[in-house]
């Protein structure tokens, strides 16, 4: 009869319009039934399509293992259950005045800025079997790419962005976990070199506990992903957790007291300072230099370039540059430190920096008279400069708790 035919034609036309608009990746029966397991890779994401389109700041591609799905993260204790964090007030990332969000390119960061790669990484003494892409993985990638394209023009203006650029499955002797690489990006500015950290779920969990102990009221509205019992290494879980960690850090950065707290700041740069100090002590100056440089960039992005940790970072850079016979760069680090110490009458690192600056200025043919005058003033004030440690000795002995 004409009526059923017209109804059928209307349904077909409706489906065709959705398919052409890129919105009909999966049809629902009229009765609202259907088994959610029919398309497990897409169903979880479609439940949160709006959240992904407004908050996801990159795309994800991955390779995975068929047997990873139900494994537990042994070193983290119980496995992780992801709790979808609500968009809390201020969660739109470090929200201060000025600046636009980066679109799809991060200047010198290249393809990493818009393509998130999830690749298995094996530590020494660990073997991996052949990798196979999980069925449905390409569908997930296409969905995320489409959502990213839609969301590029709708992201909130931010001053400092936190972007998970890669998530690597790391296998060690007794544990397996996901290591997230996060870039700190100043919106609206060109960063030739990225400031990056690599953290796992347990690192974020420890930061969350410490901040809740100290800032209970401020942390009440900050969402954090819970643990879950299975499916820790699926693309859906890692994509959602990546977005959740971006939101988590952005929300924390938007709260003044938390943003300035040692717990928050040292989460970013203290591991690098410790690693750089160890490398310097063992004479691995080239590796140490790269780590000191990343700690420098992290502190610069976070706006803590006048702290004692920053002076220690400049000392590390100066020592490593000098050991690598890069005297001009070492001299520049000393000059920057002395500018920061200009207003301070005394500081444990003032004498060592002055002595290093005078020595390096003589080597590179720069003016050293101002530093000599300041050093003479310290002698007349009764400072026993002969007993003062060198810049390298100060660096090695500094406790980094």
């Amino acid at each position: 009869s004409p009526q059923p035919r017209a109804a059928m034609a209307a349904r077909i036309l409706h489906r065709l319009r959705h398919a052409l608009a890129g919105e009909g990746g999966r049809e629902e029966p009229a009765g609202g039934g259907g088994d959610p397991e029919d398309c497990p890779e897409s169903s979880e994401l479609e439940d949160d399509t709006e959240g992904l389109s407004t908050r996801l700041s990159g795309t994800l591609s991955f390779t995975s293992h068929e047997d990873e799905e139900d494994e537990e993260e042994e070193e983290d204790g119980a496995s992780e259950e992801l709790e979808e964090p609500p968009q809390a007030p201020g969660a739109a990332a470090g929200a201060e005045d000025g600046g636009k969000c980066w679109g799809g390119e991060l200047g010198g960061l290249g393809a990493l800025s818009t393509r998130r790669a999830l690749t298995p990484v094996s530590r020494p003494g660990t073997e991996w079997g052949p990798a196979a892409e999980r069925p449905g993985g390409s569908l997930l990638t296409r969905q995320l790419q489409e959502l990213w394209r839609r969301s590029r023009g709708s992201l909130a203006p931010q001053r400092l962005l936190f972007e998970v650029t890669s998530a690597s499955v790391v296998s060690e002797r007794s544990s397996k976990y996901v290591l997230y690489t996060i870039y700190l990006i100043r919106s609206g500015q060109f960063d030739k070199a990225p400031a990056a950290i690599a953290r796992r779920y347990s690192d974020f969990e420890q930061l969350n506990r410490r901040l809740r102990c100290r800032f209970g009221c401020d942390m009440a509205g900050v969402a954090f992903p819970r643990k879950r019992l299975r499916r820790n290494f699926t693309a859906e879980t890692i994509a959602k957790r990546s977005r959740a960690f971006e939101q988590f850090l952005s929300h924390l950065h938007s709260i003044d007291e938390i943003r300035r707290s040692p717990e928050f700041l040292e989460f970013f740069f203290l591991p690098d300072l410790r690693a750089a100090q160890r490398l310097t002590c063992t004479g691995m100056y080239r590796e140490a230099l790269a780590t000191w440089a990343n700690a420098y960039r992290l502190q610069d992005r976070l706006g803590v370039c006048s702290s004692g940790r920053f002076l220690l970072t400049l000392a590390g850079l100066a020592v490593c540059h000098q050991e690598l016979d890069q005297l001009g760069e070492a001299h520049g680090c000393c000059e920057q430190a002395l500018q920061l110490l200009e207003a301070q009458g005394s500081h444990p690192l003032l004498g060592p920096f002055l002595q290093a600056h005078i020595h390096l200025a003589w080597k590179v043919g720069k003016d050293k008279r101002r530093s000599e005058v300041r050093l003479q003033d310290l002698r007349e004030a009764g400072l026993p400069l002969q007993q003062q440690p060198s810049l390298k000795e100060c660096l090695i002995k500094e406790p980094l708790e």
Side-chain angles (χ1 to χ4, degrees):
S1 64
Q3 189 170 6
R5 290 178 182 173
M8 181 178 297
R11 285 198 298 272
I12 293 173
L13 181 59
H14 177 74
R15 293 173 185 172
L16 182 59
R17 285 174 177 168
H18 277 267
L20 292 174
E23 300 170 359
R26 185 166 58 95
E27 297 176 8
E28 293 188 10
D35 188 352
E37 293 299 322
D38 290 344
C39 188
E41 297 292 344
S42 60
S43 57
E44 263 191 73
L45 288 173
E46 290 187 358
D47 289 341
D48 192 39
T49 298
E50 182 180 354
L52 277 172
S53 65
T54 56
R55 297 192 295 266
L56 187 64
S57 60
T59 59
L60 173 69
S61 64
F62 67 96
T63 57
S64 186
H65 291 275
E66 295 295 338
D67 61 347
E68 287 173 5
E69 191 169 301
D70 298 332
E71 292 194 39
E72 297 183 359
E73 298 192 30
E74 300 175 18
E75 197 167 321
D76 286 343
S79 298
E80 303 156 28
E81 171 72 29
L82 187 70
E83 177 183 16
E84 274 306 301
Q87 183 72 7
E96 295 188 13
D97 53 331
K100 287 185 179 179
C101 178
W102 286 90
E105 298 178 3
L106 306 180
L109 304 188
L112 272 177
S113 60
T114 55
R115 181 176 178 81
R116 297 180 179 176
L118 169 59
T119 52
V121 173
S122 180
R123 295 285 173 86
T126 309
E127 293 185 1
W128 280 84
E133 185 170 345
R134 186 178 302 281
S138 59
L139 173 62
L140 172 67
T141 302
R142 287 197 302 273
Q143 283 181 320
L144 291 173
Q145 289 171 342
E146 177 63 25
L147 290 170
W148 165 240
R149 283 192 291 270
R150 294 179 189 175
S151 67
R152 285 179 64 175
S154 63
L155 295 176
Q158 302 173 54
R159 193 172 188 175
L160 184 64
L161 309 180
F162 302 90
E163 181 177 347
V164 178
T165 59
S166 67
S168 301
V169 179
V170 179
S171 183
E172 294 181 335
R173 293 178 181 176
S174 60
S175 68
K176 180 177 173 182
Y177 55 88
V178 179
L179 192 65
Y180 299 87
T181 299
I182 302 104
Y183 279 12
L184 279 67
I185 307 157
R186 288 178 294 208
S187 65
Q189 298 185 35
F190 176 78
D191 287 328
K192 289 197 299 183
I197 60 172
R199 301 288 184 270
R200 52 188 293 181
Y201 181 92
S202 57
D203 298 321
F204 286 99
E205 190 177 39
Q206 183 182 27
L207 173 65
N208 182 54
R209 284 198 307 266
R210 294 181 67 191
L211 291 175
R212 288 188 189 278
C213 286
R214 183 176 173 191
F215 303 101
C217 294
D218 289 325
M219 292 292 293
V222 180
F224 187 78
R226 308 186 294 217
K227 302 216 177 223
R228 61 177 294 170
L229 295 177
R230 59 191 296 273
R231 295 178 65 84
N232 292 295
F233 302 103
T234 62
E236 310 102 298
T237 298
I238 293 173
K240 289 182 177 181
R241 190 170 294 141
S242 297
R243 187 199 62 234
F245 286 148
E246 290 174 346
Q247 282 186 276
F248 176 67
L249 294 176
S250 297
H251 195 168
L252 295 179
H253 188 263
S254 71
I255 303 171
D256 289 344
E257 287 194 17
I258 292 178
R259 182 173 65 244
R260 294 191 293 263
S261 68
E263 291 87 352
F264 178 73
L265 294 170
E266 291 181 353
F267 168 80
F268 292 95
F269 57 78
L270 189 56
D272 270 15
L273 294 183
R274 288 171 175 161
Q277 187 184 52
R278 287 193 301 269
L279 291 166
T280 305
C281 290
T282 55
M284 301 176 68
Y285 299 113
R286 196 166 299 281
E287 295 82 356
L289 180 61
T291 311
W292 287 119
N294 190 61
Y296 178 102
R297 290 190 294 269
L298 288 168
Q299 293 171 85
D300 177 52
R301 305 297 188 275
L302 293 164
V304 287
C305 292
S306 58
S307 67
R309 301 293 198 197
F310 191 70
L311 286 169
L312 186 70
T313 305
L314 288 171
L317 289 169
V319 167
C320 290
H321 277 305
Q322 185 171 0
E323 294 290 343
L324 294 170
D325 204 28
Q326 299 167 356
L327 303 184
E329 290 84 351
H331 175 264
C333 292
C334 290
E335 282 204 328
Q336 186 177 355
L338 291 175
Q339 288 174 3
L340 292 173
L341 291 167
E342 186 76 36
Q344 301 192 35
S346 63
H347 187 281
L349 288 174
L350 179 56
F353 266 121
L354 285 170
Q355 291 177 323
H357 183 258
I358 292 168
H359 174 74
L360 289 165
W362 178 78
K363 286 275 191 179
V364 298
K366 299 286 186 179
D367 186 9
K368 55 186 174 60
R369 287 172 294 180
R370 182 174 176 80
S371 292
E372 288 174 333
V373 169
R374 292 181 71 182
L375 196 61
Q376 182 61 33
D377 290 342
L378 291 179
R379 288 195 183 98
E380 292 175 358
L383 186 67
L385 294 177
Q386 286 76 15
Q387 301 173 13
Q388 284 245 307
S390 67
L391 200 58
K392 185 176 181 180
E393 289 170 338
C394 290
L395 185 66
I396 292 172
K397 293 177 181 178
E398 177 70 20
L400 289 172
E401 300 300 333

